[in-house]
Amino acid sequence: MRKPIIAGNWKMNKTAAECRALITELLPKVANAKCDVVVCVPFTDIALAAELTAGSNVVVGAQNVAWADSGAFTGEISADMLKEAGATYVILGHSERRQYFGETDASVNKRLVQALKNDLKPIVCVGELLAEREGGKTEEVCKRQVEGAFDGISAADAAKTVIAYEPVWAIGTGKTATDEQADETIGYIRSVVKALYGDAVADGMRIQYGGSMNAKNVAGLMAKPQIDGGLIGGASLKAEDFSIIVNTAK
Ligand code: PEP
C-alpha cells in the first residue's frame, strides 16, 4: 500500500504574515490526516512555515533547488540553505519553471541529483501540453521527461522520489483531467518507472495528480488505483479547501 501524499504548491503567493495566518488556520483542520501533508511555500516563508508546523503532521517543502552546492549562481537557493531553513521536500521541474524559466529535462536531472544528495525529498513534475495531448503525444512526452529527470539516478534514490503528473493544460485553468485520463497516464508513468527500475520501485513509488484538483473533484481522483495523492496549486491557498482535499486522501 502506498501512503497518499497531498502537497500544496503556493507558487509566488503569501507574504510571511499571510503564511502565518494560513498555516495557523490549516493545522487543526488537517491534524487527523491519513496522508502525508506538505506545504511547498516561497523561499522567504520556509523558516517561518517550519517553525509554525514543528511538532505537527505537516511538513514544509520548497519549489526549486539549485544544482550546485554554492557559489556564483545569482538568484538560486542551495540545498543546504533549504534544509537549514526547514524544508523537507522540494518540487522540481514544475511546468511553470519549464515554461517561463527555461527549465529542461537536463536541468531537472541536475537538480534532482542535488536534492537526493542532500536528503531533500523530491517531487518531480512531468506532464504534456494541450497540443501534445491533442496530438496523441502524452505518453511520449511523459516518458521523455521521466527518463530525462531520472538519468543516472540509482534505484535506491528513485525510490525516495515522488512524481507529480501534471497535464499543463489542467494547471490553474479549472480544467481537470478526467479521473480516467489521470489514472491511465499515471499508470503509464508507473510502467516507465518499472522499465527503468523494476517492479519494487515502480509499485512503491507515489505518483500524484496535479491540475485544478479541488475540494469537489478530489474524491473521484483519489478513488483511482494509480493516483497516490495530489499536487495542489490554487486550492492550497485556502485552508478550508486544502483541508478537504487532505482529509479525502486516505
Ligand atoms: C500546480 O501548481 O502544481 C497546480 C496543480 O496548480 P492548480 O492546482 O492551481 O492547477
Side-chain angles (χ1 to χ4, degrees):
M1 284 292 278
R2 298 181 292 265
K3 188 176 186 191
I5 172 169
I6 299 291
N9 173 15
W10 289 9
K11 313 193 189 199
M12 195 174 71
N13 293 293
K14 304 294 176 186
T15 63
E18 291 165 343
C19 167
R20 181 182 293 279
L22 177 51
I23 289 184
T24 304
E25 190 186 348
L26 180 67
L27 289 182
K29 291 185 192 297
V30 298
N32 298 315
K34 302 286 187 295
C35 61
D36 287 342
V37 187
V38 187
V39 285
C40 297
V41 304
F43 294 135
T44 50
D45 288 341
I46 291 175
L48 173 63
E51 186 189 315
L52 293 168
T53 55
S56 80
N57 58 332
V58 176
V59 296
V60 177
Q63 299 170 17
N64 202 2
V65 66
W67 41 259
D69 289 336
S70 63
F73 298 98
T74 302
E76 290 285 296
I77 304 277
S78 76
D80 272 355
M81 293 168 185
L82 294 180
K83 283 180 62 188
E84 189 180 78
T88 303
Y89 281 84
V90 62
I91 297 173
L92 298 174
H94 191 279
S95 64
E96 287 151 18
R97 300 296 319 169
R98 295 177 191 259
Q99 202 177 340
Y100 304 129
F101 301 101
E103 200 77 60
T104 63
D105 294 338
S107 64
V108 173
N109 173 250
K110 286 166 82 172
R111 295 182 197 277
L112 179 58
V113 168
Q114 188 70 357
L116 289 163
K117 190 176 100 183
N118 288 280
D119 291 325
L120 283 166
K121 297 181 182 175
I123 299 175
V124 174
C125 302
V126 300
E128 80 287 359
L129 303 168
L130 182 58
E132 291 167 338
R133 175 157 284 268
E134 288 175 349
K137 293 200 159 37
T138 298
E139 295 191 348
E140 181 186 321
V141 170
C142 291
K143 183 170 191 280
R144 192 201 72 224
Q145 291 179 342
V146 171
E147 289 179 347
F150 285 85
D151 187 25
I153 302 289
S154 70
D157 275 344
K160 298 175 194 159
T161 305
V162 174
I163 293 179
Y165 166 58
E166 300 207 303
V168 180
W169 47 271
I171 298 180
T173 57
K175 211 177 184 185
T176 325
T178 64
D179 304 345
E180 289 71 27
Q181 282 172 327
D183 192 55
E184 189 186 352
T185 308
I186 289 177
Y188 173 74
I189 291 170
R190 201 177 299 287
S191 77
V192 173
V193 175
K194 195 169 287 197
L196 292 174
Y197 296 111
D199 287 355
V201 173
D203 292 342
M205 182 180 277
R206 294 182 296 179
I207 308 183
Q208 303 170 303
Y209 168 75
S212 299
M213 196 164 177
N214 59 37
K216 291 206 175 79
N217 59 30
V218 58
L221 288 160
M222 284 307 303
K224 290 291 181 190
Q226 293 292 341
I227 303 178
D228 302 321
L231 183 56
I232 320 297
S236 71
L237 299 175
K238 291 199 179 122
E240 180 64 21
D241 290 358
F242 190 59
S243 67
I244 291 171
I245 296 170
V246 165
N247 292 323
T248 306
K250 295 181 179 133

